[in-house]
Amino acid sequence: MERFAPEGFEDPMAELVATNQLGTVEPSHGGFKEEFLQVLKANQILILVSEAGSGKTNQIPQFVLEAVDTENPGKRRKLMIACTRPQRVAARRVAEEMSVTIGEEVGCSIHFSSARNVLKYLTDVMLLREVMTDPLLERYKVIILCDAHERTLAQDVLFGLLKKVLRNRPDLKLVVMSAPLEAFKLQSYFNGAPLMKVPSRLHPVEIFYTQEPERDYLEAVIRTVVQIHMCEPPGDILVFLIGEEEIENACRRIRKEVGNMGDQVGPVKVVPLYSTLPPAMQQKIFEPAPPPVKENGPTGRKIVVSTNIAETSLSINGIVYVIDPGFSEQKVYNPQVRVESLLVCPISKASAHQRLSSPAVLSGFHAPVGMHHRTLSKC
C-alpha cells in the first residue's frame, strides 16, 4: 500500500523536518494560528507548506484579516488583502464562514468585486495586471500566493516583481502557499524565508494502474465508476476529466449505466463541476449522497465529475475514490502564429500528487483507506 504518494515520490517535508533546516517552524496542531501570526508579524515573507485539503486556502486569509491592520491613514479606503484563488466557490465559502455578504468585505475579482472589499480573491494574471498599473501595489497590505508549486508563467513573473516590490515597501507582507514538492526552491529563492508546515491529518491511499494504456480513457473512466459503485464499500467518487462537453457527456452516460442496473445498486447523484457552471450548480458538489431507495437497501453514492478545479481549489467532503485519466487542458503558446490555445496534455508529477489529496484527507468521512484509480499504465 502506498501512502499519499506515487511510487518514486519522496516526502520533502520529512527530510526538511529531519534535518531541521534553518528557518523551519514545526507548529503544534492546536496552536498553529497563534504561531502562524507570530511568524508573520516578525517576517515580511512567510512560506506555508501543506498538502491539498488542509483548509489553508479558506483559513489563512481569515487569520490574516483578523490580525493585520488594514486601515489606511489619510485615506477613506482600507488596504486590501489579495489571495490568488479565483474560484467563486472559495470566495463564497470564506464569506459564509465570516458571516458577511459576498461582494462586500470578501470579493472575487470580476464576479463579486466592489470598493468595500478588504479580502479580494483574484487570479495571478489579474494580480500581474495590477502590478503593471500600480507598481508598488499600494492598495494592498498582504499578498497571499496560493499553489505556488504550479509554477505558471504569471506566477514566475510575479515572484520576480514581488521580490522587488517588497524591497521598496517594508510594510507589505507576502505569504506563499505551496505543496511540499517546491518547498526548498521557494525558501532558497526568497532568501531563506521562514517555512511553516500546516498540520493536516492524512489517511493512506492505495493506487491502482491499468495493465496497458487505455485507447479510450473516457470509456475506461465510466467503466471504473460503475465497477466501484457495484463492488466497493460506501464512499463518494471524484472523477477528473478535461472539458465541459466531455464532463456533461460522462455524467449522462454514468446516470444511464447505473439506471440500467435497477435495484441491484444504490442510487447515485452525479454532479458536474467546471468553471463556467453557474454558482448554484457548483454548490451541489457539497450536498450529501442520496439515501437508499428502500430500507436496508444499497447505500447511495455521490459522483463528482470535474476539471482540474478540484485538484487544488477545493476539498469535497466524503471523497474516498478518485479516478484520474492523467490529462488536463493547458494553455500553450505557438510562437509561429502568435496564438495561445488550449491543448490536452499529460499532467505533471506535481498535479498527480495533488490529485491524491482528496482520498487522503477524507474530510468528514471515516474510512481506513482511500483509493486512487489511474486509467493509465505505470510506465
Side-chain angles (χ1 to χ4, degrees):
M1 183 186 299
E2 300 185 49
R3 288 180 175 264
F4 196 65
E7 188 169 309
F9 267 63
E10 295 179 0
D11 182 5
M13 287 307 301
E15 182 186 347
L16 187 147
V17 173
T19 56
N20 193 18
Q21 294 286 324
L22 181 65
T24 301
V25 181
E26 185 72 8
S28 59
H29 209 90
F32 171 77
K33 179 179 177 180
E34 290 73 19
E35 293 179 47
F36 163 74
L37 293 176
Q38 285 176 10
V39 176
L40 181 64
K41 187 177 180 180
N43 298 275
Q44 192 178 18
I45 305 173
L46 173 60
I47 299 168
L48 283 180
V49 178
S50 171
E51 304 295 353
S54 62
K56 61 183 182 298
T57 305
N58 292 337
Q59 297 302 316
I60 295 300
Q62 294 182 58
F63 293 168
V64 172
L65 190 57
E66 286 178 30
V68 173
D69 182 14
T70 56
E71 293 299 329
N72 194 359
K75 296 185 180 180
R76 293 175 60 188
R77 188 170 180 175
K78 290 184 175 182
L79 293 167
M80 289 191 292
I81 295 165
C83 183
T84 57
R85 173 68 68 185
Q87 280 73 23
R88 290 171 287 183
V89 175
R92 281 183 179 277
R93 183 162 177 178
V94 171
E96 287 171 6
E97 290 181 6
M98 293 174 61
S99 301
V100 297
T101 305
I102 184 78
E104 293 185 359
E105 285 89 344
V106 178
C108 182
S109 191
I110 296 177
H111 301 293
F112 308 106
S113 186
S114 80
R116 288 178 291 177
N117 291 162
V118 181
L119 173 57
K120 184 178 178 182
Y121 285 82
L122 71 173
T123 64
D124 43 16
V125 175
M126 289 172 184
L127 184 59
L128 189 57
R129 286 176 183 167
E130 293 203 19
V131 176
M132 293 168 69
T133 56
D134 179 13
L136 293 179
L137 291 172
E138 292 177 350
R139 296 168 55 197
Y140 294 97
K141 184 76 172 181
V142 182
I143 306 292
I144 302 172
L145 296 180
C146 292
D147 299 327
H149 57 274
E150 290 184 0
R151 298 292 304 278
T152 63
L153 178 61
Q155 279 181 342
D156 281 0
V157 175
L158 269 175
F159 287 156
L161 292 174
L162 286 172
K163 209 171 178 182
K164 289 186 177 180
V165 172
L166 290 165
R167 290 196 202 107
N168 295 299
R169 275 200 58 196
D171 61 315
L172 180 67
K173 292 187 181 290
L174 174 66
V175 178
V176 182
M177 300 198 285
S178 169
L181 297 172
E182 296 287 327
F184 291 117
K185 291 180 184 177
L186 287 169
Q187 191 174 28
S188 173
Y189 181 76
F190 286 108
N191 304 320
L195 188 149
M196 288 187 75
K197 183 180 179 184
V198 179
S200 58
R201 186 187 65 179
L202 301 179
H203 296 256
V205 177
E206 276 189 295
I207 304 175
F208 298 90
Y209 296 87
T210 56
Q211 295 291 330
E212 298 290 337
E214 294 285 344
R215 290 186 178 180
D216 187 343
Y217 67 82
L218 185 60
E219 277 297 332
V221 163
I222 293 167
R223 187 171 64 244
T224 307
V225 168
V226 174
Q227 287 175 352
I228 289 173
H229 187 53
M230 287 177 60
C231 308
E232 297 293 343
D236 297 337
I237 303 171
L238 173 61
V239 180
F240 285 102
L241 288 177
I242 294 169
E244 176 183 343
E245 184 178 347
E246 189 174 77
I247 286 171
E248 292 291 357
N249 180 30
C251 289
R252 285 192 296 270
R253 292 183 59 184
I254 290 168
R255 291 190 193 103
K256 184 178 178 182
E257 292 284 342
V258 174
N260 290 340
M261 296 179 187
D263 296 337
Q264 298 178 27
V265 296
V268 295
K269 178 186 285 184
V270 186
V271 187
L273 178 63
Y274 44 88
S275 59
T276 56
L277 203 63
M281 295 290 288
Q282 289 186 359
Q283 291 297 319
K284 288 188 176 183
I285 64 173
F286 300 114
E287 294 176 0
V293 175
K294 51 189 177 182
E295 195 174 349
N296 298 325
T299 56
R301 200 186 298 267
K302 179 173 66 180
I303 302 169
V304 179
V305 187
S306 172
T307 60
N308 57 356
I309 287 178
E311 184 180 307
T312 57
S313 301
L314 44 88
S315 299
I316 306 167
N317 287 354
I319 297 295
V320 177
Y321 308 96
V322 172
I323 301 171
D324 177 15
F327 295 98
S328 68
E329 276 187 332
Q330 296 179 20
K331 279 186 179 179
V332 177
Y333 179 71
N334 186 336
Q336 293 181 337
V337 294
R338 300 182 181 181
V339 171
E340 232 181 15
S341 56
L342 284 171
L343 296 180
V344 177
C345 307
I347 60 172
S348 64
K349 284 187 178 180
S351 293
H353 186 69
Q354 286 291 104
R355 292 183 179 191
L356 280 166
S357 305
S358 296
V361 175
L362 292 174
S363 176
F365 196 93
H366 301 287
V369 177
M371 294 187 182
H372 186 91
H373 295 259
R374 290 181 174 159
T375 57
L376 66 162
S377 63
K378 199 168 186 177
C379 298

